[in-house]
Structures are given as C-alpha cells and as structure tokens.
Amino acid sequence: MTRLFNEPAAFADEMIEGFVASHGRWVRRVSGGVARSTQSSPDSVALVIGGGSGHYPAFAGLVGQGLAHGAAMGNLFASPSAQQVYNVAKAADNGGGILLGYGNYAGDVLHFTQAQDKLRAEGIDCRSVAVTDDISSAPLAEKHKRRGIAGDLTVFKVAAAAAEAGYSMDAVLEIAERANDRTRSFGVAFTGCTLPGADHPLFTVPEGRMAVGMGIHGEPGIAETDIPTADQLAELLVKDLLAEVPDGLTARGARVVPILNGLGSVKYEELFVVYRRVAQLLAEAGIEAVDPQVGELVTSFDMAGTSLTLFWLDSELEELWLAPADAPAFRRGAVTATALDAAQLAAGNDVAERSIPVASGVSRDAAARVLAALGAAKAVIDSNVDELGRIDAIAGDGDHGIGMERGVRAAVEAAADAVERGAGAATTLYFAGDAWADKAGGTSGALWGMALRAVGDALGDVNAPDAGAVATGVADAAAAIMNFGKAKVGDKTMVDVLVPFRDSLSEGVHHGQSLTEAWGTAAATAQQAAEATAQLLPLMGRARPHAEKSLGTPDAGAISLALIVRAIHNTFAKTKTAENTPVKENA
C-alpha cells in the first residue's frame, strides 16, 4: 500500500515536482510533464513519450541524452491529456519533427492522436508509435490490440538513438516500428497495487496464488495459478514467449535482449534468482542474450510481480540499443551534454491567459447556469468517487472515480474563472471542457472535454440558450464521442447511457416539453440505461480482456454520466431557464 502522500489528488503533481528537484541535471519541468534540461542537436527528430504516472522509471526516468527528449505525464494510471502532450512536444521540438511514443491504451491513443493532429495543423511533422508488446492482452492475429508494457523501453531506446544519430523522421519511425514488431513481453503478479488514499488494491490475488498476464494498470490477469518456484516461473515466461518468435526469425542463433522487469514490490535479489534460470533456458534454446536488463524499468506502483521481455535484434537494432544514453533511470556509455541556459530552461513553462470573447447579457446569464450545473456535477461525483472506483476496479484499473473527480473539479474552476471574466455560455463550456480533458486524462477525460465543447458550439455566446439548442448540443456531443471513441450501444460504455438520454431529450423537446421536463424524463431514462449495463459484456477499453468479470456490475462511465445528468436536472428545477417553452413551476 501507499503510505507517504498528502492529498491523493495532488500526488502526481507533487511527485513530478520532487522528481525534477532531484534530477535537474537531466530534466526540467514544463507544462504537462518534463523535457531535457540539456541541449539537443538542432533539426533532429525529438522523441516525446508518455503515459500515466505510477510506472516509474517510465516515463520521466527515460528522458535524457540518447533517450527521450520529453515525457508527458498523466495522473496515476491515467493518460496525459492532449494539451499536456502538445505542451511537452512543443518544449522538446528541435525542428526535425516529433515522434510520439506511448503504450497502446485507449486513453493514450485518443490523447496522443489529438496532440498529433494539433501539431500537424501547425506544420510540424509529427508521427506516432503505439507499443504492443504484451502477448497476453490479445492473440497474435490481433496484435494491433495488444497493450504496451515493459517493451516500451526497447522501442523508445532504439528510436531515440536513431534520432540522436541524425536519422530522418521516416527512418526513426521505421526503426521504432521494427523494434515494436520484434518485442514480446509476458508478466505475472502476486498482489494488486493500491493507489494513494485508496482503502483497497485495484485487484487482489488469493494468498499463495499468482495472476498470469496482468496489465501494468492493475488489470486482472487472464489466468490464476499457484505460486511457482523461481525456476518454474522462469520456465513459464520463457516458454510462452518462445512460442511466438517474430516472423522470419528462428530462436536458434538469434541475438536477443532479455529484460526481467520488477513491477514494484519484488526485490532485486528475487529477480536475479529468476533470471539465473531465464539465462539457462535461453542458452538451451540456442539464443544469445545481449546486454540483459534485470530491475525495475516499467512498474505498476506497488504491485508485486514481474514480467519478461524478449527483444529480437538485427545488426542495426543492436547498434542502436547499445548506443550511449544518459537518463535518470537508464545510463550506458559516455555521453557529453551541455546544459540549457536560463532562457531555454524557462521555455515551455509559460501558459498564456486565454482571452474572453465578447458575449451578450443573456449568454452571460446562461454561463452562470452552466457553472451551477457543473457545480452540481462536481458535488455528485465527489459523493460517489469511491463507489465509481470500486465499480471500475471489477474488470478495469479502478481509476474512474478519481479521474472524474479531478476532471470535474478542474472544469468547475475553469468555468468559474470564465464567468468571473464575463464569458458567455459557449466560452464557459470551452474552458470547462478543456480543463476537464487536461486534468482528468484517460479516455473519459477526452470524451467529457469533447462533450462540453460540442454543447458549447450549439449554445454560442450570443443567443439565449433554448431547449432546442441544448438538445442539439447533446446530440452533437453524442456524435462526436461515438465518432472519436468508436464505441456504440451495447459495448458497455458511457454511450449506452448517452444515446438513450439524447433520444429521450430530443423527443421531449420535439413534443414541446420545457427543458426541465424533457431533461428530467431523459435523466430517468439514463438511470435505467446505466443500471442495464450490468447485463452487458465490455467490448472496448481495458475491461475487454476481462469481460466476464464485469457481468453483473454496471459500467462506471455509464453510472457517472447518469449521476451527472440527474444532478444537472436538479439545477434546472431551481432556476428559470431561457427556452422556447416557459418552464413550469412544478417541473
């Protein structure tokens, strides 16, 4: 369990602050994460990596000469927002293009893709590589669905070395993709991990048992066995990995980098005992181990577990793997680095205050009601944060509650600032949506940010919002979420609530109901739809590999949406809302 923390919601920020204070030789703090504090070659490709915090030394520990140029750091087990990725990328840019590297998780894919699109729109050559090394998370035929675990290191290291050597963007991307294709990982866990402030671990393993194939965000394993001996564990890991040799290769005569990775609570001495047998088994298979790595390289907070990665080399990959590097958590060879000057160190930390467009009086009044609605959403999430986390932990990583809490709190603060400065309804929603996406991270953060922006587009900053405009905004939000997240009704996501809520709201407005009446009916429909997700199997996201575990439990995202729309209805009932049909006093 985590013993040393202050406010759980502030843990990631305080951790980054302490990391930078203790590793200023390598990194500097920038908005969204960290970047090198040393000079990089002009016009070279910059590698920007990232993901959720809680995996140290990934990702910040891999920033330095010969490795990454920057790391976008989300909250614990939550992907960084698109804005965080964009900010770090801008701070790390050398003028030769930016390669984004991350693990293949839905939230990371969404946010890094958004950041990539924004950078490209500015004329910056930006590409991406999503690491897919975990063989337990999907079959080989669906390798593109696999998640990234300790194999992040191999992909990031060779891509960074190629960039350092002056490779073009096309060549750096090809190297990264080749490394990803030649990297395989498999892991086990003996206990779950517990986030700061949580009473229980994200998942548990019975005493004397071992979860096989777990994920680094606390996703439960795909199987469970008795705890083996160290030699038996080595045999299990090697056997499963050698059953999937990359295309065109054979085990005998191959040169492979083995990485035995500790996930947080397994001692180095134990890892060495396991690696002793791993080395024997690789030699027996005719494989030459090159530069073995044993230690904590990609962790899962305080999880007790280990993973084995095999990185199958060719001559170019081997040269890049062995190239010098100097980062806080990964060093080899001799590297000469020149520190940035004071002005360069400060670059990337400035966040300009956003301007407020001129708004009409009626829209400013509506903005105050938007703030009240967001305040109600915050109150209901604060009251249910633990339960939302518990539901999410059944088959996911258990961070939905705290992610929603961070997001809605940030949204309220941003909306309050906008209202105080005279913003209209649309601008207030834009501020709130961007803050929600930025602070919440994860898939839900991106989707809620997108939803608020869509509603803002429909309301505008001039006209008095009416029921029709609100219904249109909700419909646009649903379309944006389904288009971007690719979820549909039946996939056991928030979409299973959003679509019936949208349909009910639109129908009520179409038949002349006031917004309060139509929203109230739609909120009741949303509640029923949320409860009905208990009978669905998840077809998307981190819960997908553990679908059967969630049967009988509703989706956390669906529940949080239903709670919020009900809380917002209560604010409608307390105020007169400008709409085509006057609000009935008893609505």
Side-chain angles (χ1 to χ4, degrees), residues 290-320:
V290 177
D291 189 37
Q293 301 292 313
V294 179
E296 293 183 349
L297 296 160
V298 179
T299 61
S300 184
F301 219 64
D302 63 335
M303 183 189 292
T306 185
S307 65
L308 178 64
T309 299
L310 297 182
F311 176 33
W312 299 77
L313 300 170
D314 59 26
S315 58
E316 186 176 26
L317 291 173
E318 182 170 348
E319 180 180 356
L320 293 169

PDB file of all heavy atoms in Angstrom, residues 290-320:
ATOM      1  N   VAL A 290      21.932 -10.664 -25.189  1.00  0.00           N
ATOM      2  CA  VAL A 290      22.731  -9.460 -25.399  1.00  0.00           C
ATOM      3  C   VAL A 290      22.305  -8.396 -24.390  1.00  0.00           C
ATOM      4  O   VAL A 290      21.135  -8.027 -24.330  1.00  0.00           O
ATOM      5  CB  VAL A 290      22.542  -8.920 -26.835  1.00  0.00           C
ATOM      6  CG1 VAL A 290      23.316  -7.622 -27.029  1.00  0.00           C
ATOM      7  CG2 VAL A 290      22.957  -9.968 -27.862  1.00  0.00           C
ATOM      8  N   ASP A 291      23.253  -7.932 -23.587  1.00  0.00           N
ATOM      9  CA  ASP A 291      23.001  -6.828 -22.664  1.00  0.00           C
ATOM     10  C   ASP A 291      21.731  -7.051 -21.829  1.00  0.00           C
ATOM     11  O   ASP A 291      20.804  -6.238 -21.865  1.00  0.00           O
ATOM     12  CB  ASP A 291      22.896  -5.513 -23.447  1.00  0.00           C
ATOM     13  CG  ASP A 291      22.863  -4.292 -22.538  1.00  0.00           C
ATOM     14  OD1 ASP A 291      23.557  -4.297 -21.510  1.00  0.00           O
ATOM     15  OD2 ASP A 291      22.118  -3.345 -22.845  1.00  0.00           O
ATOM     16  N   PRO A 292      21.651  -8.112 -21.045  1.00  0.00           N
ATOM     17  CA  PRO A 292      20.447  -8.365 -20.251  1.00  0.00           C
ATOM     18  C   PRO A 292      20.185  -7.222 -19.273  1.00  0.00           C
ATOM     19  O   PRO A 292      21.106  -6.611 -18.737  1.00  0.00           O
ATOM     20  CB  PRO A 292      20.783  -9.659 -19.504  1.00  0.00           C
ATOM     21  CG  PRO A 292      21.898 -10.282 -20.278  1.00  0.00           C
ATOM     22  CD  PRO A 292      22.682  -9.148 -20.849  1.00  0.00           C
ATOM     23  N   GLN A 293      18.895  -6.958 -19.026  1.00  0.00           N
ATOM     24  CA  GLN A 293      18.473  -5.939 -18.077  1.00  0.00           C
ATOM     25  C   GLN A 293      17.613  -6.608 -17.007  1.00  0.00           C
ATOM     26  O   GLN A 293      16.621  -7.267 -17.324  1.00  0.00           O
ATOM     27  CB  GLN A 293      17.654  -4.855 -18.781  1.00  0.00           C
ATOM     28  CG  GLN A 293      18.391  -4.148 -19.895  1.00  0.00           C
ATOM     29  CD  GLN A 293      19.531  -3.290 -19.388  1.00  0.00           C
ATOM     30  OE1 GLN A 293      19.377  -2.525 -18.435  1.00  0.00           O
ATOM     31  NE2 GLN A 293      20.693  -3.429 -20.021  1.00  0.00           N
ATOM     32  N   VAL A 294      18.002  -6.448 -15.753  1.00  0.00           N
ATOM     33  CA  VAL A 294      17.234  -7.002 -14.632  1.00  0.00           C
ATOM     34  C   VAL A 294      17.015  -5.867 -13.633  1.00  0.00           C
ATOM     35  O   VAL A 294      17.978  -5.295 -13.116  1.00  0.00           O
ATOM     36  CB  VAL A 294      17.969  -8.170 -13.948  1.00  0.00           C
ATOM     37  CG1 VAL A 294      17.147  -8.696 -12.779  1.00  0.00           C
ATOM     38  CG2 VAL A 294      18.254  -9.284 -14.956  1.00  0.00           C
ATOM     39  N   GLY A 295      15.773  -5.529 -13.385  1.00  0.00           N
ATOM     40  CA  GLY A 295      15.476  -4.458 -12.442  1.00  0.00           C
ATOM     41  C   GLY A 295      14.121  -3.841 -12.715  1.00  0.00           C
ATOM     42  O   GLY A 295      13.338  -4.361 -13.515  1.00  0.00           O
ATOM     43  N   GLU A 296      13.845  -2.733 -12.055  1.00  0.00           N
ATOM     44  CA  GLU A 296      12.574  -2.042 -12.235  1.00  0.00           C
ATOM     45  C   GLU A 296      12.709  -1.043 -13.378  1.00  0.00           C
ATOM     46  O   GLU A 296      13.453  -0.066 -13.298  1.00  0.00           O
ATOM     47  CB  GLU A 296      12.168  -1.335 -10.945  1.00  0.00           C
ATOM     48  CG  GLU A 296      11.833  -2.310  -9.819  1.00  0.00           C
ATOM     49  CD  GLU A 296      11.349  -1.613  -8.554  1.00  0.00           C
ATOM     50  OE1 GLU A 296      11.468  -0.369  -8.486  1.00  0.00           O
ATOM     51  OE2 GLU A 296      10.853  -2.300  -7.653  1.00  0.00           O
ATOM     52  N   LEU A 297      11.986  -1.287 -14.455  1.00  0.00           N
ATOM     53  CA  LEU A 297      12.071  -0.456 -15.649  1.00  0.00           C
ATOM     54  C   LEU A 297      10.712   0.118 -16.050  1.00  0.00           C
ATOM     55  O   LEU A 297      10.620   1.234 -16.525  1.00  0.00           O
ATOM     56  CB  LEU A 297      12.687  -1.252 -16.800  1.00  0.00           C
ATOM     57  CG  LEU A 297      14.144  -1.656 -16.515  1.00  0.00           C
ATOM     58  CD1 LEU A 297      14.577  -2.802 -17.390  1.00  0.00           C
ATOM     59  CD2 LEU A 297      15.062  -0.458 -16.706  1.00  0.00           C
ATOM     60  N   VAL A 298       9.659  -0.655 -15.903  1.00  0.00           N
ATOM     61  CA  VAL A 298       8.277  -0.181 -16.070  1.00  0.00           C
ATOM     62  C   VAL A 298       7.481  -0.833 -14.952  1.00  0.00           C
ATOM     63  O   VAL A 298       7.209  -2.034 -15.001  1.00  0.00           O
ATOM     64  CB  VAL A 298       7.688  -0.556 -17.441  1.00  0.00           C
ATOM     65  CG1 VAL A 298       6.231  -0.062 -17.535  1.00  0.00           C
ATOM     66  CG2 VAL A 298       8.503   0.047 -18.572  1.00  0.00           C
ATOM     67  N   THR A 299       7.120  -0.053 -13.942  1.00  0.00           N
ATOM     68  CA  THR A 299       6.482  -0.620 -12.755  1.00  0.00           C
ATOM     69  C   THR A 299       4.974  -0.400 -12.780  1.00  0.00           C
ATOM     70  O   THR A 299       4.418   0.226 -13.681  1.00  0.00           O
ATOM     71  CB  THR A 299       7.070   0.010 -11.482  1.00  0.00           C
ATOM     72  OG1 THR A 299       6.819   1.422 -11.509  1.00  0.00           O
ATOM     73  CG2 THR A 299       8.564  -0.236 -11.398  1.00  0.00           C
ATOM     74  N   SER A 300       4.311  -0.911 -11.758  1.00  0.00           N
ATOM     75  CA  SER A 300       2.877  -0.736 -11.582  1.00  0.00           C
ATOM     76  C   SER A 300       2.623  -0.350 -10.131  1.00  0.00           C
ATOM     77  O   SER A 300       1.999  -1.076  -9.368  1.00  0.00           O
ATOM     78  CB  SER A 300       2.122  -2.016 -11.943  1.00  0.00           C
ATOM     79  OG  SER A 300       0.732  -1.811 -11.869  1.00  0.00           O
ATOM     80  N   PHE A 301       3.201   0.806  -9.768  1.00  0.00           N
ATOM     81  CA  PHE A 301       3.113   1.356  -8.427  1.00  0.00           C
ATOM     82  C   PHE A 301       3.685   0.363  -7.433  1.00  0.00           C
ATOM     83  O   PHE A 301       4.872   0.071  -7.479  1.00  0.00           O
ATOM     84  CB  PHE A 301       1.675   1.765  -8.100  1.00  0.00           C
ATOM     85  CG  PHE A 301       1.644   3.048  -7.317  1.00  0.00           C
ATOM     86  CD1 PHE A 301       2.106   4.221  -7.892  1.00  0.00           C
ATOM     87  CD2 PHE A 301       1.182   3.085  -6.028  1.00  0.00           C
ATOM     88  CE1 PHE A 301       2.112   5.404  -7.189  1.00  0.00           C
ATOM     89  CE2 PHE A 301       1.190   4.264  -5.303  1.00  0.00           C
ATOM     90  CZ  PHE A 301       1.646   5.432  -5.879  1.00  0.00           C
ATOM     91  N   ASP A 302       2.866  -0.213  -6.527  1.00  0.00           N
ATOM     92  CA  ASP A 302       3.427  -1.127  -5.524  1.00  0.00           C
ATOM     93  C   ASP A 302       3.061  -2.582  -5.807  1.00  0.00           C
ATOM     94  O   ASP A 302       3.088  -3.420  -4.907  1.00  0.00           O
ATOM     95  CB  ASP A 302       2.958  -0.734  -4.117  1.00  0.00           C
ATOM     96  CG  ASP A 302       1.449  -0.851  -3.947  1.00  0.00           C
ATOM     97  OD1 ASP A 302       0.726  -0.764  -4.961  1.00  0.00           O
ATOM     98  OD2 ASP A 302       0.987  -1.008  -2.804  1.00  0.00           O
ATOM     99  N   MET A 303       2.723  -2.906  -7.045  1.00  0.00           N
ATOM    100  CA  MET A 303       2.365  -4.283  -7.377  1.00  0.00           C
ATOM    101  C   MET A 303       3.544  -5.224  -7.168  1.00  0.00           C
ATOM    102  O   MET A 303       4.680  -4.900  -7.521  1.00  0.00           O
ATOM    103  CB  MET A 303       1.889  -4.375  -8.827  1.00  0.00           C
ATOM    104  CG  MET A 303       1.431  -5.778  -9.232  1.00  0.00           C
ATOM    105  SD  MET A 303       1.119  -5.929 -11.016  1.00  0.00           S
ATOM    106  CE  MET A 303      -0.316  -4.886 -11.198  1.00  0.00           C
ATOM    107  N   ALA A 304       3.278  -6.375  -6.609  1.00  0.00           N
ATOM    108  CA  ALA A 304       4.289  -7.425  -6.515  1.00  0.00           C
ATOM    109  C   ALA A 304       4.138  -8.313  -7.749  1.00  0.00           C
ATOM    110  O   ALA A 304       3.132  -8.998  -7.912  1.00  0.00           O
ATOM    111  CB  ALA A 304       4.104  -8.246  -5.239  1.00  0.00           C
ATOM    112  N   GLY A 305       5.113  -8.254  -8.625  1.00  0.00           N
ATOM    113  CA  GLY A 305       5.041  -9.041  -9.845  1.00  0.00           C
ATOM    114  C   GLY A 305       6.266  -8.820 -10.693  1.00  0.00           C
ATOM    115  O   GLY A 305       7.172  -8.048 -10.343  1.00  0.00           O
ATOM    116  N   THR A 306       6.309  -9.497 -11.823  1.00  0.00           N
ATOM    117  CA  THR A 306       7.448  -9.376 -12.723  1.00  0.00           C
ATOM    118  C   THR A 306       6.997  -9.691 -14.134  1.00  0.00           C
ATOM    119  O   THR A 306       5.975 -10.357 -14.351  1.00  0.00           O
ATOM    120  CB  THR A 306       8.589 -10.322 -12.305  1.00  0.00           C
ATOM    121  OG1 THR A 306       9.726 -10.096 -13.139  1.00  0.00           O
ATOM    122  CG2 THR A 306       8.174 -11.778 -12.422  1.00  0.00           C
ATOM    123  N   SER A 307       7.751  -9.182 -15.097  1.00  0.00           N
ATOM    124  CA  SER A 307       7.481  -9.502 -16.497  1.00  0.00           C
ATOM    125  C   SER A 307       8.803  -9.782 -17.187  1.00  0.00           C
ATOM    126  O   SER A 307       9.849  -9.270 -16.780  1.00  0.00           O
ATOM    127  CB  SER A 307       6.746  -8.363 -17.205  1.00  0.00           C
ATOM    128  OG  SER A 307       7.553  -7.199 -17.274  1.00  0.00           O
ATOM    129  N   LEU A 308       8.737 -10.589 -18.227  1.00  0.00           N
ATOM    130  CA  LEU A 308       9.908 -10.871 -19.046  1.00  0.00           C
ATOM    131  C   LEU A 308       9.651 -10.351 -20.444  1.00  0.00           C
ATOM    132  O   LEU A 308       8.592 -10.605 -21.029  1.00  0.00           O
ATOM    133  CB  LEU A 308      10.202 -12.368 -19.099  1.00  0.00           C
ATOM    134  CG  LEU A 308      11.402 -12.779 -19.976  1.00  0.00           C
ATOM    135  CD1 LEU A 308      12.709 -12.207 -19.432  1.00  0.00           C
ATOM    136  CD2 LEU A 308      11.497 -14.307 -20.093  1.00  0.00           C
ATOM    137  N   THR A 309      10.610  -9.613 -20.980  1.00  0.00           N
ATOM    138  CA  THR A 309      10.558  -9.091 -22.346  1.00  0.00           C
ATOM    139  C   THR A 309      11.708  -9.676 -23.136  1.00  0.00           C
ATOM    140  O   THR A 309      12.830  -9.759 -22.628  1.00  0.00           O
ATOM    141  CB  THR A 309      10.672  -7.556 -22.350  1.00  0.00           C
ATOM    142  OG1 THR A 309       9.573  -6.997 -21.630  1.00  0.00           O
ATOM    143  CG2 THR A 309      10.688  -7.006 -23.763  1.00  0.00           C
ATOM    144  N   LEU A 310      11.440 -10.085 -24.361  1.00  0.00           N
ATOM    145  CA  LEU A 310      12.489 -10.502 -25.290  1.00  0.00           C
ATOM    146  C   LEU A 310      12.459  -9.570 -26.493  1.00  0.00           C
ATOM    147  O   LEU A 310      11.415  -9.420 -27.145  1.00  0.00           O
ATOM    148  CB  LEU A 310      12.280 -11.954 -25.741  1.00  0.00           C
ATOM    149  CG  LEU A 310      12.356 -13.022 -24.651  1.00  0.00           C
ATOM    150  CD1 LEU A 310      12.189 -14.418 -25.264  1.00  0.00           C
ATOM    151  CD2 LEU A 310      13.671 -12.944 -23.875  1.00  0.00           C
ATOM    152  N   PHE A 311      13.586  -8.933 -26.759  1.00  0.00           N
ATOM    153  CA  PHE A 311      13.743  -8.006 -27.877  1.00  0.00           C
ATOM    154  C   PHE A 311      14.674  -8.659 -28.885  1.00  0.00           C
ATOM    155  O   PHE A 311      15.868  -8.810 -28.642  1.00  0.00           O
ATOM    156  CB  PHE A 311      14.307  -6.685 -27.358  1.00  0.00           C
ATOM    157  CG  PHE A 311      14.607  -5.659 -28.416  1.00  0.00           C
ATOM    158  CD1 PHE A 311      13.843  -5.557 -29.574  1.00  0.00           C
ATOM    159  CD2 PHE A 311      15.659  -4.757 -28.239  1.00  0.00           C
ATOM    160  CE1 PHE A 311      14.128  -4.603 -30.537  1.00  0.00           C
ATOM    161  CE2 PHE A 311      15.943  -3.789 -29.199  1.00  0.00           C
ATOM    162  CZ  PHE A 311      15.181  -3.720 -30.344  1.00  0.00           C
ATOM    163  N   TRP A 312      14.127  -9.043 -30.034  1.00  0.00           N
ATOM    164  CA  TRP A 312      14.854  -9.809 -31.042  1.00  0.00           C
ATOM    165  C   TRP A 312      15.598  -8.838 -31.966  1.00  0.00           C
ATOM    166  O   TRP A 312      14.997  -8.058 -32.684  1.00  0.00           O
ATOM    167  CB  TRP A 312      13.878 -10.672 -31.839  1.00  0.00           C
ATOM    168  CG  TRP A 312      13.145 -11.655 -30.969  1.00  0.00           C
ATOM    169  CD1 TRP A 312      12.106 -11.390 -30.133  1.00  0.00           C
ATOM    170  CD2 TRP A 312      13.411 -13.048 -30.841  1.00  0.00           C
ATOM    171  NE1 TRP A 312      11.706 -12.546 -29.482  1.00  0.00           N
ATOM    172  CE2 TRP A 312      12.497 -13.573 -29.905  1.00  0.00           C
ATOM    173  CE3 TRP A 312      14.338 -13.918 -31.421  1.00  0.00           C
ATOM    174  CZ2 TRP A 312      12.468 -14.910 -29.538  1.00  0.00           C
ATOM    175  CZ3 TRP A 312      14.310 -15.265 -31.064  1.00  0.00           C
ATOM    176  CH2 TRP A 312      13.386 -15.746 -30.134  1.00  0.00           C
ATOM    177  N   LEU A 313      16.928  -8.923 -31.945  1.00  0.00           N
ATOM    178  CA  LEU A 313      17.775  -7.930 -32.606  1.00  0.00           C
ATOM    179  C   LEU A 313      18.095  -8.273 -34.052  1.00  0.00           C
ATOM    180  O   LEU A 313      18.076  -9.434 -34.462  1.00  0.00           O
ATOM    181  CB  LEU A 313      19.093  -7.795 -31.835  1.00  0.00           C
ATOM    182  CG  LEU A 313      19.003  -7.346 -30.385  1.00  0.00           C
ATOM    183  CD1 LEU A 313      20.353  -7.504 -29.713  1.00  0.00           C
ATOM    184  CD2 LEU A 313      18.512  -5.906 -30.297  1.00  0.00           C
ATOM    185  N   ASP A 314      18.408  -7.232 -34.822  1.00  0.00           N
ATOM    186  CA  ASP A 314      19.197  -7.369 -36.031  1.00  0.00           C
ATOM    187  C   ASP A 314      20.416  -6.461 -35.829  1.00  0.00           C
ATOM    188  O   ASP A 314      20.560  -5.839 -34.773  1.00  0.00           O
ATOM    189  CB  ASP A 314      18.398  -7.001 -37.291  1.00  0.00           C
ATOM    190  CG  ASP A 314      17.866  -5.576 -37.290  1.00  0.00           C
ATOM    191  OD1 ASP A 314      18.461  -4.698 -36.624  1.00  0.00           O
ATOM    192  OD2 ASP A 314      16.844  -5.317 -37.955  1.00  0.00           O
ATOM    193  N   SER A 315      21.293  -6.381 -36.784  1.00  0.00           N
ATOM    194  CA  SER A 315      22.543  -5.648 -36.547  1.00  0.00           C
ATOM    195  C   SER A 315      22.290  -4.166 -36.269  1.00  0.00           C
ATOM    196  O   SER A 315      22.941  -3.566 -35.399  1.00  0.00           O
ATOM    197  CB  SER A 315      23.483  -5.805 -37.750  1.00  0.00           C
ATOM    198  OG  SER A 315      22.861  -5.333 -38.938  1.00  0.00           O
ATOM    199  N   GLU A 316      21.359  -3.551 -36.987  1.00  0.00           N
ATOM    200  CA  GLU A 316      21.091  -2.132 -36.776  1.00  0.00           C
ATOM    201  C   GLU A 316      20.425  -1.886 -35.425  1.00  0.00           C
ATOM    202  O   GLU A 316      20.800  -0.964 -34.691  1.00  0.00           O
ATOM    203  CB  GLU A 316      20.211  -1.588 -37.898  1.00  0.00           C
ATOM    204  CG  GLU A 316      20.012  -0.079 -37.825  1.00  0.00           C
ATOM    205  CD  GLU A 316      19.215   0.462 -38.990  1.00  0.00           C
ATOM    206  OE1 GLU A 316      18.413  -0.309 -39.577  1.00  0.00           O
ATOM    207  OE2 GLU A 316      19.374   1.647 -39.325  1.00  0.00           O
ATOM    208  N   LEU A 317      19.434  -2.708 -35.090  1.00  0.00           N
ATOM    209  CA  LEU A 317      18.776  -2.556 -33.802  1.00  0.00           C
ATOM    210  C   LEU A 317      19.758  -2.753 -32.648  1.00  0.00           C
ATOM    211  O   LEU A 317      19.687  -2.043 -31.637  1.00  0.00           O
ATOM    212  CB  LEU A 317      17.614  -3.547 -33.679  1.00  0.00           C
ATOM    213  CG  LEU A 317      16.404  -3.294 -34.580  1.00  0.00           C
ATOM    214  CD1 LEU A 317      15.406  -4.443 -34.464  1.00  0.00           C
ATOM    215  CD2 LEU A 317      15.738  -1.964 -34.237  1.00  0.00           C
ATOM    216  N   GLU A 318      20.674  -3.704 -32.803  1.00  0.00           N
ATOM    217  CA  GLU A 318      21.654  -3.943 -31.748  1.00  0.00           C
ATOM    218  C   GLU A 318      22.569  -2.737 -31.569  1.00  0.00           C
ATOM    219  O   GLU A 318      22.861  -2.325 -30.441  1.00  0.00           O
ATOM    220  CB  GLU A 318      22.477  -5.190 -32.064  1.00  0.00           C
ATOM    221  CG  GLU A 318      23.487  -5.520 -30.972  1.00  0.00           C
ATOM    222  CD  GLU A 318      24.142  -6.878 -31.162  1.00  0.00           C
ATOM    223  OE1 GLU A 318      23.665  -7.676 -32.002  1.00  0.00           O
ATOM    224  OE2 GLU A 318      25.140  -7.153 -30.453  1.00  0.00           O
ATOM    225  N   GLU A 319      23.012  -2.163 -32.669  1.00  0.00           N
ATOM    226  CA  GLU A 319      23.879  -0.987 -32.571  1.00  0.00           C
ATOM    227  C   GLU A 319      23.161   0.162 -31.868  1.00  0.00           C
ATOM    228  O   GLU A 319      23.736   0.852 -31.024  1.00  0.00           O
ATOM    229  CB  GLU A 319      24.311  -0.558 -33.970  1.00  0.00           C
ATOM    230  CG  GLU A 319      25.231   0.668 -33.974  1.00  0.00           C
ATOM    231  CD  GLU A 319      25.645   1.077 -35.383  1.00  0.00           C
ATOM    232  OE1 GLU A 319      25.285   0.365 -36.344  1.00  0.00           O
ATOM    233  OE2 GLU A 319      26.318   2.114 -35.522  1.00  0.00           O
ATOM    234  N   LEU A 320      21.890   0.361 -32.194  1.00  0.00           N
ATOM    235  CA  LEU A 320      21.126   1.452 -31.584  1.00  0.00           C
ATOM    236  C   LEU A 320      20.822   1.154 -30.115  1.00  0.00           C
ATOM    237  O   LEU A 320      20.835   2.061 -29.276  1.00  0.00           O
ATOM    238  CB  LEU A 320      19.831   1.678 -32.369  1.00  0.00           C
ATOM    239  CG  LEU A 320      20.025   2.210 -33.795  1.00  0.00           C
ATOM    240  CD1 LEU A 320      18.708   2.148 -34.573  1.00  0.00           C
ATOM    241  CD2 LEU A 320      20.580   3.630 -33.788  1.00  0.00           C
TER     242      LEU A 320
END
